[in-house]
Amino acid sequence: MDDGNHGEELRIGVYVCDCGRNIAGTVDCGVVTEFAQGLPHVVIASNDKYTCSEPGQEVIKQHIREHNLNRVVVASCSPRMHEPTFRAAIQQAGLNPYLLEMANLREHCSWVHINEPEAATRKAMDLVKMAVWRAALLREQKELEVPVERKALVIGGGIAGIQASLDLANAGYQVYLVEKEPSIGGIMAQIDKTYPTMDCSI
Amino acid sequence: MTDVGRHPRIELLTYSEVAATTGFVGNFNVTVRRRARYVDEKECTACGDCLEVCPVVVPDKFNIGLSTRKAIYQPFPQAVPSAFVIDMEACLGHNPIACGKCLEKCEKECIDYDMTDREVTLNVGTVIVATGMDVYDPTEQDEYGYTRYENVITSLEFERLINSGGPTEGHLVRPTDRRQPERVAFIQCVGSRSQQRGKPYCSNVCCMNTVKDSLLIKDHWPETDIKVFYMDIRAFGKGFEDLYQRSKALGVQYIRGLPGEVEEDPATKDLILSVEDTTSGQLEQHRADMVILSVGVEPRRDMESLKGLFTLSATSDGFFMEAHPKLLPVDAPTRGVFFAGCSEAPKDIKDSVTQASAAAARANILMSQGRISVEAITSVIDPEICTGCAICANVCPYHAIIADKEKRTPAVVIEASCAGCGTCAAECPFGAITMRHFEDAQIIAQIDAILEEDPMEKIVVFACNWCSYAGGDFAGISRLQYPPNARLIRTMCSGRVDQEFVLHAFRKGAPLVLVSGCHFADCHYIDANRWTQRRVEKLWDKLEREGIRPERLQLEWISAAEGQKFAKVMREIEELRKAVTPEEVEETKRILTEKAKKPKKKPKKAKKEPVEVAKT
Amino acid sequence: MAEEAKFKCLRCNHEYTDSYDPDKIEERSCPKCGSNSVRRLKEEASKG
């Protein structure tokens, strides 16, 4: 493996999450944690019931400070689910949020190999290894800040578009409401009385 | 509705459509095409003088053809803006010799036959998609005779008939003899909950709409005999069960069973419904003066263009797909875009209003900050290596790279416009482009980690963040089981998958590689995955030339909603993996390793460029 | 204009003929197994 550590000593922390029984019901998280501990640059590997919980995040933050961690690998659910959570957590402990890597042990492993616990555990170890090797090469990134135009476009002038336009306009934003037909109103305008109030639609 | 018309901060652009968009969250640049109304919207007072003289009569779309209107018209009396419009397809007046009567009559001189469509450009920070739905056309369900029998109507036609502003001024009459019906039958789930015709999903609104309609009829004409034919009555919302019980208490009969056929009695034009009452198992016949088909809700047929404009996709039901079905139900996958109403799924008015307010609140969160940070996943070009060939600028879906092929100056990335697909990095023949957070070395490390031990047992899968990786997530959420041999490497877009990644995997002993991404229509980077396909096609040719079976490189487009497809593909490629022999893999490793040792045919061109970058 | 070309599915080995426009890149799926691993067989196409 390339040790491209960008000129610093790599200190990786790995956090294997049970997700209650969601992961630990299939994958042997103890074995995975032990395996992670033996991977290059891993300073500490720890196993938690719910890594995304407040105490779970607290453990990561504490370790970053105590062990001078400079990379964090969380082996839990899909990054599409909790990457923002853990990025924020490591940022609070002073690490650049891009120094986080996740291994998807839940959606891509425990939930889809329920009847093959041993194979699932082997796969989980691979996923953690992939994440650790990648984490070793991650770099700090700076996010670009852009100004936001304080105007909104609403496409469609039915009941939903009307409500959204009024809410935004009343909140103080300029709203452009684009409607295909010559009048707003949509399907709702064609309806006589509406449930549950049994009153007029327009 | 009128509140919108007079709100100082709402600019209403009716008779208009979004034609083009560029930009990104916080800074969308939207072009809106405004169709010519041929009537000055601001000056017209809707006095109606023009109506009296217009000689053209056409079916009225608002009343679903149950009445007529003129070529110059107002869609309905409460229309906003309160202004007329000329239907130019029907109007004779483009040529004043032919007609021009309304022009003569209009005292305020609002009418202008020469008005043309025009385009306006808007800069907005957020977009709310509230494009609504279409109503199911029951023509294909011929057994109900919608097109054959005049007294069979849809629930939306019924709304117009019973509306005091409608064509009959609210008198419920049946079309054949304009007589008030004494026996009315409703048929539920027309176009809904069917695997064969219409849509497989529940349209959400039709049960309660029928309950409401039954109450309206009973309210006006209590003697009317009403029968509702249904498979389930879904009255789950607040106050809904109460309305259902009220309807039953007023004598509306709910009969569990959908008619197999509706026939007309030619003499009386009455309708005979044949049905099995599934609570009793009895075959029955019921006579009705009028049959109302409770039609379902469909995705809008014109939503395709919007999908392309804002890089949106649809779930399997055809409605717009949200960023997360449970946790981000209002957000589109494209940041800064939100959904309200039926564009996302069938909804009643209350739910549409609720979601609209939620969408407004979500948009408010983004806009109130004034500034937002954009993910740092963008590409960076090394001017020392770049030869100025401009391939990157050519493949960039966002035109975010400036390059001049003539001058051969190093290409430059406009960071704020770069969406981070990584296609440029994959296509650069000189390795001059680094994709931040998805660098070559980072991805190669993942491949190496997969193949370090037991490579014969593993399948290397490249999956894009938005679709195929998410499809894998959905397979997980759905607990779909598949073989445990695949290892996924996530990239933002399949366009990032460099051909070198694939060759590297084969060199390291991978029996099988899968490249996966979004369906073409769903690509989150406009059309970046077209380059994925081209690259895979080139790789197939290359592998074949080298004596490697092209079948060992697989390609698949899997949407975020296609958990089933993801699991199926995983099962299929596992079968392909099993067919790959250790000898074959060793041979591949030998071929590709020798190839890699040979000097590359693309030496870094030390070319002279007008260097502006200050060097130390 | 669209011409005809031979395609082969690299998943199930099914071979078939379909319309093909060299100027357009299209999403293809095998009519037999539905896979997108569909390769255009170029030798055949060049005859057309």
Side-chain angles (χ1 to χ4, degrees):
Chain A
M1 187 179 83
D2 174 13
D3 260 13
N5 55 10
H6 315 311
E8 55 179 331
E9 188 208 347
L10 285 167
R11 299 183 66 80
I12 304 177
V14 180
Y15 299 88
V16 180
C17 175
D18 286 347
C19 195
R21 297 288 297 160
N22 281 307
I23 296 172
T26 305
V27 169
D28 188 331
C29 291
V31 168
V32 175
T33 310
E34 209 171 298
F35 168 79
Q37 187 72 63
L39 290 169
H41 310 299
V42 173
V43 175
I44 187 161
S46 126
N47 180 200
D48 250 306
K49 201 145 195 68
Y50 290 103
T51 309
C52 64
S53 68
E54 277 298 323
Q57 293 184 47
E58 217 32 67
V59 170
I60 300 177
K61 290 185 211 167
Q62 200 184 327
H63 285 182
I64 291 173
R65 292 185 206 107
E66 284 174 10
H67 299 272
N68 285 320
L69 302 179
N70 51 21
R71 301 286 187 284
V72 169
V73 169
V74 179
S76 56
C77 50
S78 173
R80 292 172 50 85
M81 178 92 184
H82 268 315
E83 193 176 61
T85 310
F86 294 117
R87 276 187 174 176
I90 71 165
Q91 194 167 20
Q92 281 163 19
L95 272 191
N96 182 285
Y98 287 82
L99 299 177
L100 167 83
E101 180 61 19
M102 289 184 74
N104 188 344
L105 303 194
R106 195 178 71 174
E107 284 85 342
H108 288 187
C109 192
S110 65
W111 275 350
V112 289
H113 312 307
I114 291 170
N115 303 318
E116 299 170 89
E118 279 168 28
T121 302
R122 280 199 301 279
K123 179 172 174 178
M125 290 193 277
D126 261 11
L127 297 178
V128 169
K129 182 164 71 172
M130 288 163 69
V132 168
W133 286 30
R134 176 174 148 82
L137 296 169
L138 290 176
R139 295 173 202 265
E140 294 190 354
Q141 304 290 352
K142 204 164 172 284
E143 293 193 339
L144 184 72
E145 277 222 331
V146 293
V148 179
E149 197 73 60
R150 292 169 65 88
K151 298 172 185 167
L153 168 70
V154 177
I155 308 170
I159 178 63
I162 289 172
Q163 182 68 39
S165 298
L166 287 171
D167 281 2
L168 284 168
N170 288 335
Y173 301 103
Q174 170 66 37
V175 176
Y176 301 101
L177 175 55
V178 173
E179 165 59 48
K180 205 171 193 173
E181 299 294 328
S183 169
I184 58 169
I187 304 253
M188 176 203 63
Q190 288 178 295
I191 298 173
D192 178 33
K193 300 283 190 291
T194 56
Y195 69 83
T197 50
M198 309 299 288
D199 58 359
C200 167
S201 72
I202 293 182
Chain B
M1 272 172 63
T2 48
D3 291 348
V4 173
R6 57 172 178 247
H7 201 292
R9 278 187 296 275
I10 299 178
E11 187 177 333
L12 201 49
L13 298 95
T14 49
Y15 222 30
S16 302
E17 278 176 81
V18 176
T21 58
T22 56
F24 47 90
V25 55
N27 300 272
F28 292 104
N29 195 278
V30 183
T31 307
V32 176
R33 188 179 305 117
R34 306 210 61 183
R35 287 176 64 193
R37 271 184 106 93
Y38 305 100
V39 177
D40 187 327
E41 186 182 319
K42 299 225 158 56
E43 291 298 316
C44 174
T45 57
C47 67
D49 287 351
C50 50
L51 282 187
E52 291 164 18
V53 294
C54 178
V56 184
V57 174
V58 290
D60 183 354
K61 190 176 154 193
F62 186 76
N63 281 333
I64 322 163
L66 295 170
S67 64
T68 58
R69 64 158 168 81
K70 296 295 183 71
I72 188 163
Y73 71 104
Q74 190 180 20
F76 53 100
Q78 305 91 329
V80 176
S82 181
F84 280 67
V85 52
I86 298 181
D87 172 0
M88 256 313 152
E89 277 173 30
C91 176
L92 309 170
H94 229 12
N95 175 358
I97 303 160
C99 182
K101 289 196 170 72
C102 57
L103 182 73
E104 284 168 28
K105 184 79 184 177
C106 181
E107 282 175 16
K108 291 200 74 185
E109 296 176 2
C110 306
I111 296 166
D112 176 4
Y113 297 130
D114 297 325
M115 210 180 264
T116 51
D117 293 1
R118 59 197 176 88
E119 287 189 345
V120 291
T121 315
L122 309 171
N123 289 309
V124 295
T126 54
V127 177
I128 292 177
V129 174
T131 45
M133 42 80 161
D134 280 333
V135 175
Y136 177 69
D137 175 353
T139 301
E140 64 173 344
Q141 303 209 11
D142 191 51
E143 69 273 26
Y144 292 154
Y146 175 62
T147 49
R148 287 179 283 131
Y149 312 135
E150 274 186 76
N151 291 337
V152 177
I153 65 170
T154 68
S155 42
L156 197 59
E157 287 165 344
F158 173 80
E159 290 293 339
R160 297 315 302 153
L161 282 182
I162 202 163
N163 192 307
S164 55
T168 59
E169 292 171 343
H171 297 291
L172 181 61
V173 295
R174 62 178 208 165
T176 47
D177 49 17
R178 307 192 78 75
R179 188 168 58 78
Q180 187 188 314
E182 285 159 19
R183 298 158 300 178
V184 175
F186 287 88
I187 302 177
Q188 294 305 111
C189 292
V190 179
S192 307
R193 299 183 68 196
S194 166
Q195 297 296 336
Q196 279 85 39
R197 287 171 307 171
K199 301 292 179 186
Y201 53 79
C202 168
S203 287
N204 185 321
V205 298
C206 339
C207 283
M208 285 315 294
N209 195 61
T210 291
V211 169
K212 174 206 74 179
D213 287 344
S214 73
L215 289 171
L216 286 180
I217 298 172
K218 283 287 184 190
D219 193 30
H220 293 301
W221 308 281
E223 298 309 312
T224 314
D225 170 78
I226 304 175
K227 288 172 180 158
V228 177
F229 297 92
Y230 71 98
M231 55 171 128
D232 296 296
I233 290 292
R234 295 184 167 177
F236 52 83
K238 185 170 178 173
F240 291 7
E241 181 68 17
D242 181 42
L243 290 181
Y244 176 41
Q245 294 304 336
R246 238 164 80 193
S247 169
K248 287 208 280 195
L250 286 170
V252 176
Q253 292 177 65
Y254 285 82
I255 298 163
R256 189 163 169 274
L258 294 180
E261 199 178 17
V262 175
E263 282 177 296
E264 188 183 65
D265 177 342
T268 59
K269 303 287 180 191
D270 289 352
L271 300 154
I272 302 145
L273 295 85
S274 307
V275 63
E276 182 195 344
D277 182 338
T278 57
T279 53
S280 64
Q282 294 288 313
L283 285 173
E284 297 170 357
Q285 285 203 329
H286 297 268
R287 282 182 92 86
D289 300 317
M290 187 180 215
V291 170
I292 297 158
L293 305 178
S294 190
V295 288
V297 168
E298 292 186 326
R300 278 190 72 97
R301 283 173 279 274
D302 59 7
M303 66 189 262
E304 281 305 315
S305 69
L306 219 52
K307 270 161 93 178
L309 288 170
F310 290 102
T311 52
L312 305 174
S313 42
T315 32
S316 53
D317 57 9
F319 291 94
F320 281 119
M321 185 176 75
E322 59 279 54
H324 190 283
K326 201 168 61 186
L327 302 173
L328 292 169
V330 178
D331 295 37
T334 305
R335 201 170 167 209
V337 181
F338 306 93
F339 297 119
C342 292
S343 63
E344 181 259 335
K347 282 182 194 66
D348 64 18
I349 291 174
K350 179 186 173 184
D351 284 356
S352 293
V353 168
T354 306
Q355 196 189 22
S357 287
R362 299 286 300 164
N364 189 359
I365 290 169
L366 272 183
M367 293 192 291
S368 66
Q369 297 165 14
R371 298 183 74 78
I372 47 162
S373 54
V374 179
E375 258 203 311
I377 302 166
T378 53
S379 64
V380 183
I381 299 177
D382 185 342
E384 296 291 322
I385 306 173
C386 177
T387 68
C389 73
I391 287 177
C392 54
N394 183 40
V395 302
C396 178
Y398 297 88
H399 310 295
I401 303 179
I402 299 170
D404 192 327
K405 214 171 160 183
E406 302 300 312
K407 283 189 190 156
R408 291 238 146 198
T409 48
V412 178
V413 178
I414 312 160
E415 208 183 321
S417 300
C418 173
C421 66
T423 305
C424 55
E427 289 290 325
C428 176
F430 306 102
I433 304 181
T434 304
M435 190 67 223
R436 294 163 72 195
H437 206 55
F438 287 91
E439 295 176 26
D440 286 8
Q442 294 164 350
I443 293 167
I444 295 280
Q446 288 174 286
I447 301 171
D448 288 345
I450 296 171
L451 300 169
E452 193 190 35
E453 281 176 71
D454 304 323
M456 280 305 290
E457 303 300 313
K458 319 269 179 75
I459 300 171
V460 176
V461 178
F462 295 96
C464 80
N465 180 62
W466 305 104
C467 290
S468 52
Y469 191 95
D473 281 356
F474 195 50
I477 292 165
S478 317
R479 307 296 194 279
L480 302 172
Q481 303 297 300
Y482 57 80
N485 303 66
R487 305 285 182 268
L488 266 68
I489 296 174
R490 182 172 68 116
T491 55
M492 294 312 285
C493 173
S494 64
R496 174 69 188 98
V497 183
D498 198 312
Q499 74 164 24
E500 189 45 41
F501 300 163
V502 175
L503 295 175
H504 184 85
F506 283 132
R507 204 177 290 130
K508 289 286 172 137
L512 204 78
V513 176
L514 169 69
V515 176
S516 65
C518 304
H519 288 283
F520 277 19
D522 302 345
C523 182
H524 281 63
Y525 300 94
I526 304 175
D527 57 1
N529 63 358
R530 275 47 161 196
W531 296 99
T532 314
Q533 171 138 331
R534 284 194 185 93
R535 213 173 298 135
V536 167
E537 284 172 359
K538 273 191 212 160
L539 270 164
W540 281 332
D541 295 347
K542 186 184 172 74
L543 292 174
E544 194 170 57
R545 277 199 306 275
E546 305 287 353
I548 300 164
R549 279 194 302 133
E551 286 84 351
R552 289 173 55 198
L553 170 59
Q554 292 281 314
L555 175 69
E556 205 67 50
W557 311 123
I558 303 168
S559 83
E562 289 177 325
Q564 289 279 3
K565 181 173 182 184
F566 184 90
K568 173 175 172 273
V569 169
M570 290 298 122
R571 286 191 287 270
E572 288 172 355
I573 60 173
E574 171 59 7
E575 290 307 308
L576 295 180
R577 182 197 67 82
K578 285 186 196 154
V580 181
T581 64
E583 297 74 29
E584 192 180 357
V585 170
E586 284 309 311
E587 177 67 4
T588 304
K589 282 162 74 174
R590 189 188 61 75
I591 294 168
L592 292 177
T593 311
E594 274 176 20
K595 193 90 186 167
K597 276 182 196 151
K598 284 185 194 160
K600 292 252 168 85
K601 56 182 173 183
K602 41 168 196 185
K604 281 178 199 166
K605 280 184 210 157
K607 56 160 294 297
K608 289 176 197 120
E609 65 221 18
V611 182
E612 291 142 34
V613 189
K615 287 181 185 164
T616 46
Chain C
M1 264 307 285
E3 46 192 88
E4 295 256 291
K6 271 211 145 188
F7 292 90
K8 183 186 176 189
C9 172
L10 299 185
R11 182 83 40 92
C12 73
N13 291 322
H14 177 57
E15 288 191 26
Y16 65 100
T17 311
D18 199 357
S19 63
Y20 166 68
D21 182 346
D23 298 327
K24 240 169 65 187
I25 181 142
E26 286 172 282
E27 179 173 331
R28 294 198 176 272
S29 52
C30 170
K32 202 169 145 209
C33 76
S35 163
N36 304 118
S37 296
V38 174
R39 186 181 180 212
R40 184 169 62 89
L41 299 173
K42 296 195 174 115
E43 304 77 34
E44 303 287 330
S46 61
K47 280 181 201 164

